[in-house]
Amino acid sequence: TRSTRPQRLLRAVQQKAIKGDPQSVISAIDYFCRHSEWAMNVGDEKGSILDSVVCEVCPTTALELGTYCGYSTVRIARLLPPGTKLITLEFNPAFAAVARQVIEYAGLQNKVCLVEGASGDLIPKMCQMFGIKTFDFVFIDHWKDRYLPDIKLLEECQLLRKGSILLADNVICPGTPEYLEYVRNSPHYESKYFKSHLEYTKVEDGLEKSVFLG
Ligand SMILES: O=C(NC/C=C/[C@H]1OC[C@H](O)[C@@H]1O)c1cc([N+](=O)[O-])cc(O)c1O
Ligand SMILES: [Mg+2]
């Protein structure tokens, strides 16, 4: 049977990137998506904004919702100091299988914990599974209709603290209107929009950075 797009993306990494070199894995995926097949990675333009926020926050605990092929997982994990862990949640087993290989190819498997399952089921288990009290940083890039319910769940599970940073992809395209309305109007968040473009295109999109105020 025909290979899947994530499998072809992984093959491009294995053929073009240097094992153990995260930047070459990132570049190989961006090249594949620009010149062979578009894929829903956060991409290089929004990825640079992601990098700058991660460097500013210097998180000791970080969570990613929606791993897909592991592109943003590699972007985040490559910036984390030793001893810190990025937990990434992925619902789709086929995506998770590819992501594990991409993360390993980048040599970042010791900084990443990929958990397969639905974010709505896994978020309440973060404390018991990892002993995590609160997350310093959360990158949100999974199903767009799950953004709002899942941050409300993070609040309910007391997994956010004063100063926790949420960074959400695709707030314009495909769009997350209910999420945007909530973080921009809630007294519990201070929100800021970073205008950019949908990965590998000229279509407008952007990232919303929201600080939890407690
Ligand atoms: O659906 C998107 N992301 C959510 C991914 C959903 C699927 O991957 C993770 C989840 O388990 C599900 O199987 C998306 C879609 C577009 N797009 O242009 O359609 C662009 C993006 O950056 C996106 O993150
Ligand atoms: Mg996205």
Side-chain angles (χ1 to χ4, degrees), residues 5-42:
R5 180 167 309 181
Q7 285 169 333
R8 294 192 292 273
L9 180 149
L10 170 62
R11 189 173 59 217
V13 167
Q14 293 165 335
Q15 290 174 345
K16 299 284 190 316
I18 301 157
K19 208 159 172 34
D21 175 350
Q23 189 53 57
S24 74
V25 168
I26 292 164
S27 302
I29 294 171
D30 286 331
Y31 188 90
F32 173 80
C33 292
R34 282 194 184 285
H35 302 285
S36 299
E37 301 182 61
W38 184 92
M40 58 183 172
N41 317 116
V42 72

PDB file of all heavy atoms in Angstrom, residues 5-42:
ATOM      1  N   ARG A   5       1.908  10.465   4.131  1.00  0.00           N
ATOM      2  CA  ARG A   5       2.725  11.686   4.073  1.00  0.00           C
ATOM      3  C   ARG A   5       3.696  11.750   5.244  1.00  0.00           C
ATOM      4  O   ARG A   5       4.887  12.028   5.044  1.00  0.00           O
ATOM      5  CB  ARG A   5       1.836  12.931   4.033  1.00  0.00           C
ATOM      6  CG  ARG A   5       2.624  14.234   3.972  1.00  0.00           C
ATOM      7  CD  ARG A   5       1.746  15.415   3.630  1.00  0.00           C
ATOM      8  NE  ARG A   5       0.949  15.149   2.431  1.00  0.00           N
ATOM      9  CZ  ARG A   5       0.117  16.064   1.920  1.00  0.00           C
ATOM     10  NH1 ARG A   5      -0.020  17.258   2.473  1.00  0.00           N
ATOM     11  NH2 ARG A   5      -0.590  15.782   0.840  1.00  0.00           N
ATOM     12  N   PRO A   6       3.244  11.435   6.482  1.00  0.00           N
ATOM     13  CA  PRO A   6       4.225  11.412   7.581  1.00  0.00           C
ATOM     14  C   PRO A   6       5.378  10.443   7.340  1.00  0.00           C
ATOM     15  O   PRO A   6       6.520  10.747   7.664  1.00  0.00           O
ATOM     16  CB  PRO A   6       3.369  11.004   8.792  1.00  0.00           C
ATOM     17  CG  PRO A   6       2.015  11.526   8.465  1.00  0.00           C
ATOM     18  CD  PRO A   6       1.862  11.291   6.979  1.00  0.00           C
ATOM     19  N   GLN A   7       5.101   9.297   6.711  1.00  0.00           N
ATOM     20  CA  GLN A   7       6.180   8.338   6.417  1.00  0.00           C
ATOM     21  C   GLN A   7       7.147   8.916   5.380  1.00  0.00           C
ATOM     22  O   GLN A   7       8.365   8.728   5.482  1.00  0.00           O
ATOM     23  CB  GLN A   7       5.593   7.017   5.907  1.00  0.00           C
ATOM     24  CG  GLN A   7       4.964   6.172   7.006  1.00  0.00           C
ATOM     25  CD  GLN A   7       4.158   5.001   6.456  1.00  0.00           C
ATOM     26  OE1 GLN A   7       3.634   5.053   5.328  1.00  0.00           O
ATOM     27  NE2 GLN A   7       4.029   3.968   7.264  1.00  0.00           N
ATOM     28  N   ARG A   8       6.615   9.646   4.398  1.00  0.00           N
ATOM     29  CA  ARG A   8       7.481  10.252   3.371  1.00  0.00           C
ATOM     30  C   ARG A   8       8.293  11.395   3.972  1.00  0.00           C
ATOM     31  O   ARG A   8       9.457  11.592   3.640  1.00  0.00           O
ATOM     32  CB  ARG A   8       6.629  10.710   2.187  1.00  0.00           C
ATOM     33  CG  ARG A   8       5.973   9.552   1.433  1.00  0.00           C
ATOM     34  CD  ARG A   8       5.363   9.973   0.103  1.00  0.00           C
ATOM     35  NE  ARG A   8       4.204  10.858   0.268  1.00  0.00           N
ATOM     36  CZ  ARG A   8       2.950  10.426   0.439  1.00  0.00           C
ATOM     37  NH1 ARG A   8       2.690   9.125   0.542  1.00  0.00           N
ATOM     38  NH2 ARG A   8       1.944  11.278   0.549  1.00  0.00           N
ATOM     39  N   LEU A   9       7.674  12.100   4.940  1.00  0.00           N
ATOM     40  CA  LEU A   9       8.406  13.170   5.640  1.00  0.00           C
ATOM     41  C   LEU A   9       9.554  12.558   6.446  1.00  0.00           C
ATOM     42  O   LEU A   9      10.686  13.044   6.415  1.00  0.00           O
ATOM     43  CB  LEU A   9       7.418  13.922   6.550  1.00  0.00           C
ATOM     44  CG  LEU A   9       7.927  15.080   7.383  1.00  0.00           C
ATOM     45  CD1 LEU A   9       6.834  16.133   7.589  1.00  0.00           C
ATOM     46  CD2 LEU A   9       8.464  14.630   8.733  1.00  0.00           C
ATOM     47  N   LEU A  10       9.289  11.450   7.133  1.00  0.00           N
ATOM     48  CA  LEU A  10      10.334  10.763   7.915  1.00  0.00           C
ATOM     49  C   LEU A  10      11.466  10.302   6.999  1.00  0.00           C
ATOM     50  O   LEU A  10      12.644  10.453   7.311  1.00  0.00           O
ATOM     51  CB  LEU A  10       9.722   9.575   8.663  1.00  0.00           C
ATOM     52  CG  LEU A  10      10.706   8.609   9.341  1.00  0.00           C
ATOM     53  CD1 LEU A  10      11.525   9.322  10.412  1.00  0.00           C
ATOM     54  CD2 LEU A  10       9.963   7.410   9.932  1.00  0.00           C
ATOM     55  N   ARG A  11      11.122   9.784   5.832  1.00  0.00           N
ATOM     56  CA  ARG A  11      12.146   9.303   4.894  1.00  0.00           C
ATOM     57  C   ARG A  11      13.030  10.473   4.450  1.00  0.00           C
ATOM     58  O   ARG A  11      14.260  10.342   4.374  1.00  0.00           O
ATOM     59  CB  ARG A  11      11.500   8.637   3.676  1.00  0.00           C
ATOM     60  CG  ARG A  11      12.516   7.930   2.768  1.00  0.00           C
ATOM     61  CD  ARG A  11      11.839   7.142   1.673  1.00  0.00           C
ATOM     62  NE  ARG A  11      11.001   8.013   0.832  1.00  0.00           N
ATOM     63  CZ  ARG A  11       9.834   7.625   0.323  1.00  0.00           C
ATOM     64  NH1 ARG A  11       9.342   6.434   0.601  1.00  0.00           N
ATOM     65  NH2 ARG A  11       9.132   8.445  -0.439  1.00  0.00           N
ATOM     66  N   ALA A  12      12.410  11.620   4.246  1.00  0.00           N
ATOM     67  CA  ALA A  12      13.185  12.811   3.856  1.00  0.00           C
ATOM     68  C   ALA A  12      14.172  13.190   4.954  1.00  0.00           C
ATOM     69  O   ALA A  12      15.326  13.541   4.681  1.00  0.00           O
ATOM     70  CB  ALA A  12      12.244  13.970   3.554  1.00  0.00           C
ATOM     71  N   VAL A  13      13.742  13.078   6.219  1.00  0.00           N
ATOM     72  CA  VAL A  13      14.645  13.344   7.352  1.00  0.00           C
ATOM     73  C   VAL A  13      15.802  12.348   7.336  1.00  0.00           C
ATOM     74  O   VAL A  13      16.974  12.719   7.420  1.00  0.00           O
ATOM     75  CB  VAL A  13      13.881  13.264   8.698  1.00  0.00           C
ATOM     76  CG1 VAL A  13      14.827  13.228   9.883  1.00  0.00           C
ATOM     77  CG2 VAL A  13      12.889  14.423   8.812  1.00  0.00           C
ATOM     78  N   GLN A  14      15.499  11.063   7.193  1.00  0.00           N
ATOM     79  CA  GLN A  14      16.526  10.012   7.221  1.00  0.00           C
ATOM     80  C   GLN A  14      17.505  10.158   6.058  1.00  0.00           C
ATOM     81  O   GLN A  14      18.689   9.836   6.196  1.00  0.00           O
ATOM     82  CB  GLN A  14      15.856   8.633   7.186  1.00  0.00           C
ATOM     83  CG  GLN A  14      15.049   8.319   8.451  1.00  0.00           C
ATOM     84  CD  GLN A  14      14.093   7.149   8.292  1.00  0.00           C
ATOM     85  OE1 GLN A  14      13.652   6.830   7.186  1.00  0.00           O
ATOM     86  NE2 GLN A  14      13.750   6.516   9.407  1.00  0.00           N
ATOM     87  N   GLN A  15      17.023  10.689   4.931  1.00  0.00           N
ATOM     88  CA  GLN A  15      17.892  10.810   3.754  1.00  0.00           C
ATOM     89  C   GLN A  15      18.670  12.123   3.728  1.00  0.00           C
ATOM     90  O   GLN A  15      19.778  12.181   3.193  1.00  0.00           O
ATOM     91  CB  GLN A  15      17.046  10.691   2.467  1.00  0.00           C
ATOM     92  CG  GLN A  15      16.510   9.282   2.239  1.00  0.00           C
ATOM     93  CD  GLN A  15      15.545   9.171   1.054  1.00  0.00           C
ATOM     94  OE1 GLN A  15      15.052  10.174   0.551  1.00  0.00           O
ATOM     95  NE2 GLN A  15      15.289   7.946   0.648  1.00  0.00           N
ATOM     96  N   LYS A  16      18.109  13.194   4.317  1.00  0.00           N
ATOM     97  CA  LYS A  16      18.718  14.519   4.160  1.00  0.00           C
ATOM     98  C   LYS A  16      19.374  15.061   5.421  1.00  0.00           C
ATOM     99  O   LYS A  16      20.301  15.867   5.349  1.00  0.00           O
ATOM    100  CB  LYS A  16      17.648  15.542   3.681  1.00  0.00           C
ATOM    101  CG  LYS A  16      17.011  15.223   2.354  1.00  0.00           C
ATOM    102  CD  LYS A  16      17.964  15.561   1.198  1.00  0.00           C
ATOM    103  CE  LYS A  16      17.303  15.491  -0.182  1.00  0.00           C
ATOM    104  NZ  LYS A  16      16.438  14.337  -0.398  1.00  0.00           N
ATOM    105  N   ALA A  17      18.868  14.644   6.605  1.00  0.00           N
ATOM    106  CA  ALA A  17      19.383  15.240   7.856  1.00  0.00           C
ATOM    107  C   ALA A  17      20.567  14.443   8.393  1.00  0.00           C
ATOM    108  O   ALA A  17      20.832  13.319   7.961  1.00  0.00           O
ATOM    109  CB  ALA A  17      18.266  15.305   8.884  1.00  0.00           C
ATOM    110  N   ILE A  18      21.270  15.077   9.319  1.00  0.00           N
ATOM    111  CA  ILE A  18      22.418  14.437   9.991  1.00  0.00           C
ATOM    112  C   ILE A  18      21.937  13.913  11.342  1.00  0.00           C
ATOM    113  O   ILE A  18      21.342  14.660  12.123  1.00  0.00           O
ATOM    114  CB  ILE A  18      23.543  15.476  10.230  1.00  0.00           C
ATOM    115  CG1 ILE A  18      23.998  16.077   8.895  1.00  0.00           C
ATOM    116  CG2 ILE A  18      24.705  14.852  10.995  1.00  0.00           C
ATOM    117  CD1 ILE A  18      24.659  17.442   9.044  1.00  0.00           C
ATOM    118  N   LYS A  19      22.180  12.637  11.591  1.00  0.00           N
ATOM    119  CA  LYS A  19      21.700  12.026  12.847  1.00  0.00           C
ATOM    120  C   LYS A  19      22.304  12.781  14.043  1.00  0.00           C
ATOM    121  O   LYS A  19      23.497  13.091  14.051  1.00  0.00           O
ATOM    122  CB  LYS A  19      22.130  10.540  12.894  1.00  0.00           C
ATOM    123  CG  LYS A  19      21.207   9.660  13.714  1.00  0.00           C
ATOM    124  CD  LYS A  19      21.329   8.189  13.332  1.00  0.00           C
ATOM    125  CE  LYS A  19      20.540   7.271  14.282  1.00  0.00           C
ATOM    126  NZ  LYS A  19      19.283   7.814  14.814  1.00  0.00           N
ATOM    127  N   GLY A  20      21.438  13.149  14.988  1.00  0.00           N
ATOM    128  CA  GLY A  20      21.899  13.844  16.192  1.00  0.00           C
ATOM    129  C   GLY A  20      21.995  15.351  16.047  1.00  0.00           C
ATOM    130  O   GLY A  20      22.385  16.046  16.977  1.00  0.00           O
ATOM    131  N   ASP A  21      21.594  15.854  14.880  1.00  0.00           N
ATOM    132  CA  ASP A  21      21.666  17.292  14.620  1.00  0.00           C
ATOM    133  C   ASP A  21      20.256  17.857  14.423  1.00  0.00           C
ATOM    134  O   ASP A  21      19.698  17.782  13.319  1.00  0.00           O
ATOM    135  CB  ASP A  21      22.515  17.544  13.362  1.00  0.00           C
ATOM    136  CG  ASP A  21      22.541  19.015  12.955  1.00  0.00           C
ATOM    137  OD1 ASP A  21      21.767  19.815  13.528  1.00  0.00           O
ATOM    138  OD2 ASP A  21      23.334  19.368  12.062  1.00  0.00           O
ATOM    139  N   PRO A  22      19.658  18.389  15.519  1.00  0.00           N
ATOM    140  CA  PRO A  22      18.264  18.870  15.448  1.00  0.00           C
ATOM    141  C   PRO A  22      18.019  19.910  14.356  1.00  0.00           C
ATOM    142  O   PRO A  22      16.993  19.844  13.658  1.00  0.00           O
ATOM    143  CB  PRO A  22      18.027  19.465  16.834  1.00  0.00           C
ATOM    144  CG  PRO A  22      18.988  18.767  17.735  1.00  0.00           C
ATOM    145  CD  PRO A  22      20.207  18.507  16.886  1.00  0.00           C
ATOM    146  N   GLN A  23      18.959  20.838  14.167  1.00  0.00           N
ATOM    147  CA  GLN A  23      18.741  21.884  13.155  1.00  0.00           C
ATOM    148  C   GLN A  23      18.630  21.276  11.759  1.00  0.00           C
ATOM    149  O   GLN A  23      17.802  21.706  10.953  1.00  0.00           O
ATOM    150  CB  GLN A  23      19.873  22.923  13.190  1.00  0.00           C
ATOM    151  CG  GLN A  23      19.598  24.147  12.306  1.00  0.00           C
ATOM    152  CD  GLN A  23      18.257  24.807  12.597  1.00  0.00           C
ATOM    153  OE1 GLN A  23      17.979  25.214  13.722  1.00  0.00           O
ATOM    154  NE2 GLN A  23      17.374  24.897  11.575  1.00  0.00           N
ATOM    155  N   SER A  24      19.420  20.239  11.481  1.00  0.00           N
ATOM    156  CA  SER A  24      19.350  19.617  10.139  1.00  0.00           C
ATOM    157  C   SER A  24      18.028  18.867   9.961  1.00  0.00           C
ATOM    158  O   SER A  24      17.511  18.774   8.849  1.00  0.00           O
ATOM    159  CB  SER A  24      20.534  18.668   9.921  1.00  0.00           C
ATOM    160  OG  SER A  24      20.393  17.466  10.660  1.00  0.00           O
ATOM    161  N   VAL A  25      17.470  18.356  11.064  1.00  0.00           N
ATOM    162  CA  VAL A  25      16.152  17.682  10.991  1.00  0.00           C
ATOM    163  C   VAL A  25      15.071  18.725  10.685  1.00  0.00           C
ATOM    164  O   VAL A  25      14.221  18.528   9.808  1.00  0.00           O
ATOM    165  CB  VAL A  25      15.847  16.943  12.315  1.00  0.00           C
ATOM    166  CG1 VAL A  25      14.392  16.486  12.382  1.00  0.00           C
ATOM    167  CG2 VAL A  25      16.795  15.756  12.494  1.00  0.00           C
ATOM    168  N   ILE A  26      15.135  19.854  11.370  1.00  0.00           N
ATOM    169  CA  ILE A  26      14.186  20.956  11.132  1.00  0.00           C
ATOM    170  C   ILE A  26      14.280  21.423   9.676  1.00  0.00           C
ATOM    171  O   ILE A  26      13.267  21.545   8.973  1.00  0.00           O
ATOM    172  CB  ILE A  26      14.469  22.126  12.103  1.00  0.00           C
ATOM    173  CG1 ILE A  26      14.131  21.712  13.543  1.00  0.00           C
ATOM    174  CG2 ILE A  26      13.695  23.386  11.705  1.00  0.00           C
ATOM    175  CD1 ILE A  26      14.714  22.626  14.612  1.00  0.00           C
ATOM    176  N   SER A  27      15.504  21.632   9.189  1.00  0.00           N
ATOM    177  CA  SER A  27      15.702  22.113   7.805  1.00  0.00           C
ATOM    178  C   SER A  27      15.229  21.095   6.777  1.00  0.00           C
ATOM    179  O   SER A  27      14.629  21.465   5.766  1.00  0.00           O
ATOM    180  CB  SER A  27      17.181  22.437   7.573  1.00  0.00           C
ATOM    181  OG  SER A  27      17.614  23.410   8.510  1.00  0.00           O
ATOM    182  N   ALA A  28      15.458  19.814   7.059  1.00  0.00           N
ATOM    183  CA  ALA A  28      15.033  18.761   6.125  1.00  0.00           C
ATOM    184  C   ALA A  28      13.506  18.722   6.012  1.00  0.00           C
ATOM    185  O   ALA A  28      12.953  18.561   4.918  1.00  0.00           O
ATOM    186  CB  ALA A  28      15.561  17.403   6.576  1.00  0.00           C
ATOM    187  N   ILE A  29      12.811  18.880   7.142  1.00  0.00           N
ATOM    188  CA  ILE A  29      11.344  18.878   7.113  1.00  0.00           C
ATOM    189  C   ILE A  29      10.820  20.121   6.387  1.00  0.00           C
ATOM    190  O   ILE A  29       9.929  20.027   5.530  1.00  0.00           O
ATOM    191  CB  ILE A  29      10.757  18.774   8.539  1.00  0.00           C
ATOM    192  CG1 ILE A  29      11.089  17.414   9.153  1.00  0.00           C
ATOM    193  CG2 ILE A  29       9.232  18.993   8.529  1.00  0.00           C
ATOM    194  CD1 ILE A  29      10.743  17.278  10.631  1.00  0.00           C
ATOM    195  N   ASP A  30      11.416  21.277   6.679  1.00  0.00           N
ATOM    196  CA  ASP A  30      10.973  22.502   5.995  1.00  0.00           C
ATOM    197  C   ASP A  30      11.205  22.399   4.493  1.00  0.00           C
ATOM    198  O   ASP A  30      10.336  22.779   3.694  1.00  0.00           O
ATOM    199  CB  ASP A  30      11.702  23.728   6.570  1.00  0.00           C
ATOM    200  CG  ASP A  30      11.192  24.111   7.953  1.00  0.00           C
ATOM    201  OD1 ASP A  30       9.997  23.855   8.241  1.00  0.00           O
ATOM    202  OD2 ASP A  30      11.979  24.652   8.749  1.00  0.00           O
ATOM    203  N   TYR A  31      12.333  21.838   4.079  1.00  0.00           N
ATOM    204  CA  TYR A  31      12.624  21.678   2.646  1.00  0.00           C
ATOM    205  C   TYR A  31      11.592  20.737   2.004  1.00  0.00           C
ATOM    206  O   TYR A  31      11.019  21.055   0.952  1.00  0.00           O
ATOM    207  CB  TYR A  31      14.038  21.122   2.438  1.00  0.00           C
ATOM    208  CG  TYR A  31      14.454  21.118   0.980  1.00  0.00           C
ATOM    209  CD1 TYR A  31      15.092  22.221   0.421  1.00  0.00           C
ATOM    210  CD2 TYR A  31      14.163  20.028   0.149  1.00  0.00           C
ATOM    211  CE1 TYR A  31      15.452  22.237  -0.917  1.00  0.00           C
ATOM    212  CE2 TYR A  31      14.495  20.033  -1.198  1.00  0.00           C
ATOM    213  CZ  TYR A  31      15.144  21.133  -1.729  1.00  0.00           C
ATOM    214  OH  TYR A  31      15.477  21.155  -3.070  1.00  0.00           O
ATOM    215  N   PHE A  32      11.331  19.626   2.678  1.00  0.00           N
ATOM    216  CA  PHE A  32      10.348  18.652   2.166  1.00  0.00           C
ATOM    217  C   PHE A  32       8.983  19.315   1.994  1.00  0.00           C
ATOM    218  O   PHE A  32       8.313  19.145   0.965  1.00  0.00           O
ATOM    219  CB  PHE A  32      10.231  17.480   3.146  1.00  0.00           C
ATOM    220  CG  PHE A  32       9.131  16.489   2.809  1.00  0.00           C
ATOM    221  CD1 PHE A  32       9.323  15.506   1.837  1.00  0.00           C
ATOM    222  CD2 PHE A  32       7.898  16.552   3.456  1.00  0.00           C
ATOM    223  CE1 PHE A  32       8.296  14.603   1.526  1.00  0.00           C
ATOM    224  CE2 PHE A  32       6.884  15.642   3.158  1.00  0.00           C
ATOM    225  CZ  PHE A  32       7.078  14.678   2.186  1.00  0.00           C
ATOM    226  N   CYS A  33       8.571  20.115   2.987  1.00  0.00           N
ATOM    227  CA  CYS A  33       7.235  20.734   2.951  1.00  0.00           C
ATOM    228  C   CYS A  33       7.140  21.851   1.919  1.00  0.00           C
ATOM    229  O   CYS A  33       6.062  22.115   1.385  1.00  0.00           O
ATOM    230  CB  CYS A  33       6.854  21.248   4.332  1.00  0.00           C
ATOM    231  SG  CYS A  33       6.578  19.905   5.491  1.00  0.00           S
ATOM    232  N   ARG A  34       8.256  22.515   1.628  1.00  0.00           N
ATOM    233  CA  ARG A  34       8.246  23.584   0.616  1.00  0.00           C
ATOM    234  C   ARG A  34       8.359  23.007  -0.786  1.00  0.00           C
ATOM    235  O   ARG A  34       7.742  23.523  -1.717  1.00  0.00           O
ATOM    236  CB  ARG A  34       9.409  24.553   0.855  1.00  0.00           C
ATOM    237  CG  ARG A  34       9.172  25.532   1.971  1.00  0.00           C
ATOM    238  CD  ARG A  34      10.189  26.671   1.959  1.00  0.00           C
ATOM    239  NE  ARG A  34       9.980  27.542   3.106  1.00  0.00           N
ATOM    240  CZ  ARG A  34       8.980  28.413   3.214  1.00  0.00           C
ATOM    241  NH1 ARG A  34       8.112  28.520   2.210  1.00  0.00           N
ATOM    242  NH2 ARG A  34       8.826  29.154   4.296  1.00  0.00           N
ATOM    243  N   HIS A  35       9.145  21.955  -0.959  1.00  0.00           N
ATOM    244  CA  HIS A  35       9.471  21.503  -2.315  1.00  0.00           C
ATOM    245  C   HIS A  35       8.831  20.181  -2.716  1.00  0.00           C
ATOM    246  O   HIS A  35       8.800  19.839  -3.886  1.00  0.00           O
ATOM    247  CB  HIS A  35      10.989  21.416  -2.478  1.00  0.00           C
ATOM    248  CG  HIS A  35      11.674  22.717  -2.219  1.00  0.00           C
ATOM    249  ND1 HIS A  35      11.650  23.770  -3.112  1.00  0.00           N
ATOM    250  CD2 HIS A  35      12.351  23.161  -1.134  1.00  0.00           C
ATOM    251  CE1 HIS A  35      12.317  24.794  -2.599  1.00  0.00           C
ATOM    252  NE2 HIS A  35      12.744  24.463  -1.406  1.00  0.00           N
ATOM    253  N   SER A  36       8.311  19.426  -1.735  1.00  0.00           N
ATOM    254  CA  SER A  36       7.669  18.152  -2.088  1.00  0.00           C
ATOM    255  C   SER A  36       6.202  18.143  -1.694  1.00  0.00           C
ATOM    256  O   SER A  36       5.331  18.183  -2.544  1.00  0.00           O
ATOM    257  CB  SER A  36       8.383  16.981  -1.382  1.00  0.00           C
ATOM    258  OG  SER A  36       9.720  16.923  -1.792  1.00  0.00           O
ATOM    259  N   GLU A  37       5.898  18.105  -0.418  1.00  0.00           N
ATOM    260  CA  GLU A  37       4.510  18.019   0.038  1.00  0.00           C
ATOM    261  C   GLU A  37       4.266  18.907   1.259  1.00  0.00           C
ATOM    262  O   GLU A  37       4.945  18.771   2.267  1.00  0.00           O
ATOM    263  CB  GLU A  37       4.183  16.569   0.450  1.00  0.00           C
ATOM    264  CG  GLU A  37       4.352  15.548  -0.649  1.00  0.00           C
ATOM    265  CD  GLU A  37       3.972  14.164  -0.161  1.00  0.00           C
ATOM    266  OE1 GLU A  37       2.803  13.962   0.225  1.00  0.00           O
ATOM    267  OE2 GLU A  37       4.849  13.291  -0.134  1.00  0.00           O
ATOM    268  N   TRP A  38       3.276  19.779   1.161  1.00  0.00           N
ATOM    269  CA  TRP A  38       2.879  20.588   2.313  1.00  0.00           C
ATOM    270  C   TRP A  38       2.466  19.656   3.458  1.00  0.00           C
ATOM    271  O   TRP A  38       1.820  18.621   3.230  1.00  0.00           O
ATOM    272  CB  TRP A  38       1.697  21.492   1.950  1.00  0.00           C
ATOM    273  CG  TRP A  38       1.284  22.418   3.048  1.00  0.00           C
ATOM    274  CD1 TRP A  38       1.718  23.690   3.247  1.00  0.00           C
ATOM    275  CD2 TRP A  38       0.358  22.129   4.116  1.00  0.00           C
ATOM    276  NE1 TRP A  38       1.125  24.241   4.367  1.00  0.00           N
ATOM    277  CE2 TRP A  38       0.284  23.296   4.926  1.00  0.00           C
ATOM    278  CE3 TRP A  38      -0.411  21.015   4.479  1.00  0.00           C
ATOM    279  CZ2 TRP A  38      -0.524  23.369   6.065  1.00  0.00           C
ATOM    280  CZ3 TRP A  38      -1.227  21.082   5.608  1.00  0.00           C
ATOM    281  CH2 TRP A  38      -1.267  22.251   6.382  1.00  0.00           C
ATOM    282  N   ALA A  39       2.858  20.014   4.702  1.00  0.00           N
ATOM    283  CA  ALA A  39       2.376  19.264   5.865  1.00  0.00           C
ATOM    284  C   ALA A  39       2.162  20.248   7.004  1.00  0.00           C
ATOM    285  O   ALA A  39       2.764  21.326   7.026  1.00  0.00           O
ATOM    286  CB  ALA A  39       3.384  18.190   6.275  1.00  0.00           C
ATOM    287  N   MET A  40       1.306  19.899   7.966  1.00  0.00           N
ATOM    288  CA  MET A  40       0.838  20.864   8.965  1.00  0.00           C
ATOM    289  C   MET A  40       1.796  21.040  10.154  1.00  0.00           C
ATOM    290  O   MET A  40       1.373  21.067  11.310  1.00  0.00           O
ATOM    291  CB  MET A  40      -0.553  20.478   9.454  1.00  0.00           C
ATOM    292  CG  MET A  40      -0.677  19.100  10.068  1.00  0.00           C
ATOM    293  SD  MET A  40      -2.400  18.744  10.525  1.00  0.00           S
ATOM    294  CE  MET A  40      -2.259  17.036  10.983  1.00  0.00           C
ATOM    295  N   ASN A  41       3.108  21.169   9.850  1.00  0.00           N
ATOM    296  CA  ASN A  41       4.077  21.516  10.890  1.00  0.00           C
ATOM    297  C   ASN A  41       3.963  23.016  11.141  1.00  0.00           C
ATOM    298  O   ASN A  41       3.582  23.748  10.245  1.00  0.00           O
ATOM    299  CB  ASN A  41       5.500  21.200  10.436  1.00  0.00           C
ATOM    300  CG  ASN A  41       5.629  19.863   9.734  1.00  0.00           C
ATOM    301  OD1 ASN A  41       5.966  19.779   8.569  1.00  0.00           O
ATOM    302  ND2 ASN A  41       5.319  18.803  10.454  1.00  0.00           N
ATOM    303  N   VAL A  42       4.376  23.480  12.309  1.00  0.00           N
ATOM    304  CA  VAL A  42       4.279  24.915  12.591  1.00  0.00           C
ATOM    305  C   VAL A  42       5.129  25.712  11.586  1.00  0.00           C
ATOM    306  O   VAL A  42       4.860  26.875  11.308  1.00  0.00           O
ATOM    307  CB  VAL A  42       4.648  25.221  14.068  1.00  0.00           C
ATOM    308  CG1 VAL A  42       6.140  25.070  14.324  1.00  0.00           C
ATOM    309  CG2 VAL A  42       4.147  26.603  14.488  1.00  0.00           C
TER     310      VAL A  42
END
